[in-house]
């Protein structure tokens, strides 16, 4: 599968012993449901004798996959900016969930937890977000692309903004309230659905 991270495989259900007549024995192993680390996985073994299918057996295995990931080196409070001293790299078994883990300290330094995080906790993308870079009431530049023309005007943020988040802003000249994505501490970009 191209997997290069350390892993172990536990055979959970072992097939019974089998007697095979003399001859050229070969086998083909397949995973009908693909690799599933952290959960039970079916393994099909097709045995051939002198090139002729002889028997097929099924066993069960569990893959334990390990990676060097970012964990909390100390407890962290919500909305407190993560510093390099707050985190460390540690090898951990991955649980097979779809949560994105981090493998580099640079991926988390400067972000903030969205909840209390205890020391030793494996950090995932669902636990972190970008810090607030302006508050509601801040003057911002509103950018929009209307029919291929870039327009820039002044506005007011109606919500606090984090880089990449979508907030409501009010166009200072028209008074119209729009939804816009936060680009940086002074600029938002109107969503295409609101740009007309």
């Amino acid at each position: 599968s191209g997997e290069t991270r350390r892993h172990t495989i536990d055979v959970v259900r072992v097939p019974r012993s089998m007697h095979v007549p003399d001859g050229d024995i070969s086998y083909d192993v397949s995973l009908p449901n693909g690799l599933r680390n952290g959960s039970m996985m079916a393994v099909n073994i097709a045995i051939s004798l002198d090139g002729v299918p002889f028997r097929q057996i099924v066993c069960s295995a569990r893959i334990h996959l390990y990676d060097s990931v970012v964990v909390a080196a100390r407890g962290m409070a919500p909305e407190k900016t993560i510093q390099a001293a707050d985190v460390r790299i540690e090898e951990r078994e991955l649980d097979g969930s779809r949560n994105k883990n981090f493998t580099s300290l640079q991926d988390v330094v400067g972000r903030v937890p969205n909840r209390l995080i205890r020391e030793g906790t494996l950090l995932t993308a669902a636990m972190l977000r970008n810090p607030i870079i302006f508050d509601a009431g801040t003057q911002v530049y509103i950018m929009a692309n209307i029919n291929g023309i870039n327009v820039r005007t002044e506005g007011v943020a109606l919500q606090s903004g984090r880089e990449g988040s979508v907030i409501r802003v009010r166009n200072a000249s028209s008074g119209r309230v729009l939804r816009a994505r936060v680009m940086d501490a002074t600029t938002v970009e109107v969503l295409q659905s609101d740009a007309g």
Side-chain angles (χ1 to χ4, degrees):
S1 69
E3 181 59 70
T4 58
R5 294 171 289 187
R6 185 172 81 83
H7 61 276
T8 60
I9 300 175
D10 294 335
V11 179
V12 179
R13 191 179 66 173
V14 180
R16 291 181 300 177
S17 297
M18 145 186 345
H19 294 286
V20 181
D22 288 339
D24 182 21
I25 301 169
S26 61
Y27 60 90
D28 182 57
V29 178
S30 63
L31 307 172
N33 301 314
L35 287 171
R36 294 183 177 184
N37 51 301
S39 62
M40 294 293 288
M41 179 179 67
V43 180
N44 291 348
I45 305 170
I47 301 170
S48 297
L49 181 63
D50 295 326
V52 177
F54 175 73
R55 189 169 297 166
Q56 180 157 318
I57 55 177
V58 178
C59 61
S60 299
R62 186 185 302 272
I63 294 181
H64 301 274
L65 182 63
Y66 301 85
D67 201 1
S68 295
V69 291
V70 179
V71 300
R74 61 181 70 156
M76 293 184 280
E79 298 300 326
K80 185 170 183 266
T81 303
I82 297 173
Q83 308 295 324
D86 296 328
V87 289
R88 67 177 181 255
I89 299 287
E90 205 174 272
E91 186 181 63
R92 288 283 183 92
E93 181 177 356
L94 305 181
D95 62 7
S97 70
R98 297 185 181 275
N99 289 332
K100 179 186 182 299
N101 302 305
F102 299 101
T103 56
S104 168
L105 298 180
Q106 287 74 25
D107 293 336
V108 301
V109 170
R111 301 185 76 188
V112 297
N114 55 24
R115 62 178 179 82
L116 180 67
I117 296 177
R118 297 185 186 283
E119 180 181 348
T121 301
L122 171 65
L123 300 184
T124 67
M127 298 176 185
L128 307 180
R129 57 186 169 190
N130 290 324
I132 292 173
I133 53 178
F134 59 73
D135 295 318
T138 300
Q139 300 288 320
V140 293
Y141 290 109
I142 301 173
M143 308 292 291
N145 187 305
I146 302 172
N147 299 323
I149 300 171
N150 289 322
V151 178
R152 176 177 141 159
T153 187
E154 293 182 354
V156 177
L158 301 180
Q159 298 171 275
S160 57
R162 303 173 190 273
E163 186 176 341
S165 65
V166 174
I167 64 167
R168 291 179 301 117
V169 295
R170 177 176 286 117
N171 184 316
S173 57
S174 70
R176 183 176 172 200
V177 174
L178 307 163
R179 290 179 308 138
R181 188 172 308 280
V182 177
M183 307 305 290
D184 56 39
T186 60
T187 311
V188 299
E189 184 174 22
V190 176
L191 300 183
Q192 286 299 321
S193 57
D194 285 13

